[in-house]
Amino acid sequence: MKNKLIVTLTTVKGSRQYSLGQLARYVIALFIVLTMLSFAVSNWLLVRTQDDLAVLEEDHQQLTDQYELMLGTQSLYKTELDQLSASLSRVAFERDRLQAENIRMGDQLQEETIRVGELHATLGASLNGLEAMLNLDTTEEVTPERLEQLTLMANQRLFMLNSIPNGLPIQPLRITDKFGMRMHPIKKRRIMHNGIDYKANIGTPVYVTADGVVEYAGNKGDGYGKQVVVLHNFGFKTVYTHLNSTNVKRGELVHKGQKIAESGNTGKSTGPHLHYEVRYLYKPLNPAHFVSWNIANFDTIFSNVKSVKWASLKNLYPLNQSAQP
């Protein structure tokens, strides 16, 4: 009896006793220990999951803020440039007028000289602001030639940024696959991945990354599901696939930042995401170089993407400063 465990169960009908051997006691003890261990581990995982969720929510909010800022970058640059150009023109006109008045009105020369100095400082600050936006070295000299040169440069950059793909096509949760060789999640072998995969909830807006014309909108049955293909200037093309729905039709003209579709999980896909490609004369390029391209780091695209003969662009109007309309 000393190696047995006696368990007594009492009910309204009386009591009954059950004896358990030493092995049974070990099994029960092990069960109790495992139960307590499982409870402790579950609590730890729950706390850890809540912490990870909080971090993910914070990261998602940061991505949301960054995307909203990036999405309107070109429009903001254009608006600021137009306002700055108008302001510079008014200030320059007022400065010239006051200088002319100073010549004719000697008795008010001192007062007008002060006003000219103030306007000159305002013009210089505005000019430096334009140089900072273009990521150029600032200059202390304020001349009409410098103003004209900077305005022309800004307009040229904006023209290129509206013509060639740049910026994010979607507000993503994160990047799940980059451009290059990878292990295909369905085919289970290494093949070339010609774009970037952005994880996004079904129904997330998809925006075209440059002005162009819709070459295709629909489902080709090639595994990419519903897709939109857009032709852009200078031989560039962008592709948006695995869509849930499309908002444009073939032959439709679209402008940069226009919503053209909603992301989905159609075709051969392991989860909701947007597959985004940038092509030049049918050759896939790394979209990452174009996603990060903007007015401030304008020259980086020419060194990062060497397969495009950028040098020939300088002869095109309106990029050719000497060209006449």
Side-chain angles (χ1 to χ4, degrees), residues 82-278:
D82 293 340
Q83 293 176 350
L84 183 59
S85 296
S87 175
L88 291 173
S89 298
R90 288 194 301 270
V91 172
F93 174 79
E94 183 67 11
R95 182 193 62 182
D96 294 341
R97 183 185 68 79
L98 289 175
Q99 287 177 336
E101 288 181 358
N102 287 337
I103 297 175
R104 298 192 303 268
M105 302 174 63
D107 56 341
Q108 299 181 1
L109 180 60
Q110 184 176 2
E111 179 182 353
E112 297 296 342
T113 300
I114 295 175
R115 293 179 61 191
V116 169
E118 293 175 348
L119 289 171
H120 189 80
T122 302
L123 183 62
S126 298
L127 196 63
N128 290 340
L130 181 57
E131 290 171 329
M133 184 178 70
L134 298 175
N135 198 25
L136 301 174
D137 294 334
T138 57
T139 177
E140 296 181 357
E141 185 179 6
V142 180
T143 63
E145 292 77 17
R146 181 60 171 167
L147 172 61
E148 182 179 359
Q149 180 186 14
L150 290 175
T151 303
L152 177 61
M153 182 182 297
N155 283 323
Q156 289 175 342
R157 291 189 179 187
L158 289 172
F159 169 74
M160 291 283 286
L161 289 169
N162 279 293
S163 301
I164 298 175
N166 63 94
L168 282 167
I170 194 173
Q171 179 183 349
L173 298 175
R174 64 177 182 273
I175 293 177
T176 54
D177 247 326
K178 298 180 179 180
F179 179 87
M181 296 297 296
R182 66 158 184 179
M183 180 64 69
H184 195 280
I186 296 177
K187 298 180 180 180
K188 303 301 180 184
R189 57 187 176 89
R190 287 183 61 81
I191 61 175
M192 182 66 184
H193 187 233
N194 292 327
I196 293 180
D197 288 347
Y198 293 102
K199 180 178 177 58
N201 296 324
I202 294 177
T204 303
V206 176
Y207 304 95
V208 65
T209 53
D211 298 344
V213 58
V214 178
E215 180 186 62
Y216 180 83
N219 193 334
K220 297 181 178 180
D222 55 1
Y224 283 106
K226 293 181 181 179
Q227 56 189 280
V228 173
V229 180
V230 181
L231 294 174
H232 307 286
N233 285 340
F234 312 122
F236 288 91
K237 178 186 296 188
T238 51
V239 182
Y240 315 76
T241 70
H242 301 299
L243 304 171
N244 188 57
S245 62
T246 59
N247 294 59
V248 292
K249 298 180 180 179
R250 184 174 183 232
E252 184 175 341
L253 296 173
V254 293
H255 60 84
K256 177 176 173 57
Q258 178 179 338
K259 178 182 175 181
I260 58 173
E262 292 184 354
S263 65
N265 192 31
T266 58
K268 295 180 180 179
S269 171
T270 57
H273 73 285
L274 171 71
H275 173 81
Y276 173 64
E277 294 184 15
V278 176

Side-chain angles (χ1 to χ4, degrees), residues 3 25 304 317:
N3 292 328
R25 283 185 293 167
N304 290 336
Y317 178 83

